[in-house]
Amino acid sequence: MEFAGGQTEYTSGTPEELNDQSTAIDREFYDFYRTSRGHSPATTTHPTLTSNVKFMNFYPFADIETISPRPMLFIAGEQAHSREFSEEGYRLAGEPKELVIVSGAGHVDLYDRVNLIPFDKLTTFFQDNLGNPHTDEGER
């Protein structure tokens, strides 16, 4: 067992090689993590067997509505396999909230394709919502 000093075992994650059975998601993540775009020999995309249980039992939308009235910004690529999660988070979140769908983008495109990342929207969102909490109207 790993916690007792045993060898770390890894599972799933981005495939090391593509083949005829590779899915579109496998190919998209491979294109980032297994190429010069995002590869790092000092890291892995494979979760450990011990940590994977925590990921499978984590539901990121539990109590998401309690974040309100703090603003939330959801950004997803139009073609991202994960778009449904952003849309679900947006649906469940309290106000104020905003959902931005980036035309022509997949999931990992928003990691490093600077021509697709909505920097103007990010800048405006953070300027509007992370400014001085003390205004003429009192505290936010």
Side-chain angles (χ1 to χ4, degrees):
M1 300 190 134
E2 185 180 339
F3 72 89
Q7 185 173 350
T8 302
E9 294 184 44
Y10 297 93
T11 182
S12 61
T14 304
E16 297 295 330
E17 296 178 0
L18 296 176
N19 58 44
D20 294 352
Q21 284 76 48
S22 297
T23 67
I25 295 170
D26 288 340
R27 293 176 190 286
E28 180 181 10
F29 278 77
Y30 183 95
D31 184 51
F32 182 81
Y33 288 110
R34 301 292 177 250
T35 68
S36 60
R37 284 180 64 196
H39 176 72
S40 172
T43 62
T44 181
T45 63
H46 302 289
T48 65
L49 285 175
T50 55
S51 66
N52 206 33
V53 173
K54 292 287 188 188
F55 288 123
M56 288 187 287
N57 287 312
F58 174 71
Y59 183 64
F61 303 142
D63 302 319
I64 193 173
E65 73 283 354
T66 65
I67 295 171
S68 180
R70 291 158 202 88
M72 295 184 71
L73 174 63
F74 298 85
I75 299 175
E78 175 186 39
Q79 299 159 352
H81 74 282
S82 56
R83 177 178 171 176
E84 67 182 283
F85 298 113
S86 296
E87 292 171 337
E88 178 71 356
Y90 176 79
R91 185 183 70 75
L92 294 170
E95 294 289 344
K97 61 186 177 181
E98 191 170 351
L99 174 63
V100 174
I101 303 298
V102 180
S103 180
H107 181 95
V108 298
D109 288 331
L110 298 177
Y111 293 1
D112 67 333
R113 306 266 193 223
V114 295
N115 59 318
L116 293 173
I117 299 170
F119 289 111
D120 290 346
K121 170 45 76 183
L122 289 163
T123 300
T124 302
F125 179 82
F126 287 119
Q127 285 175 340
D128 291 349
N129 297 295
L130 293 180
N132 185 347
H134 302 284
T135 68
D136 292 336
E137 301 165 16
E139 291 191 38
R140 288 188 191 182

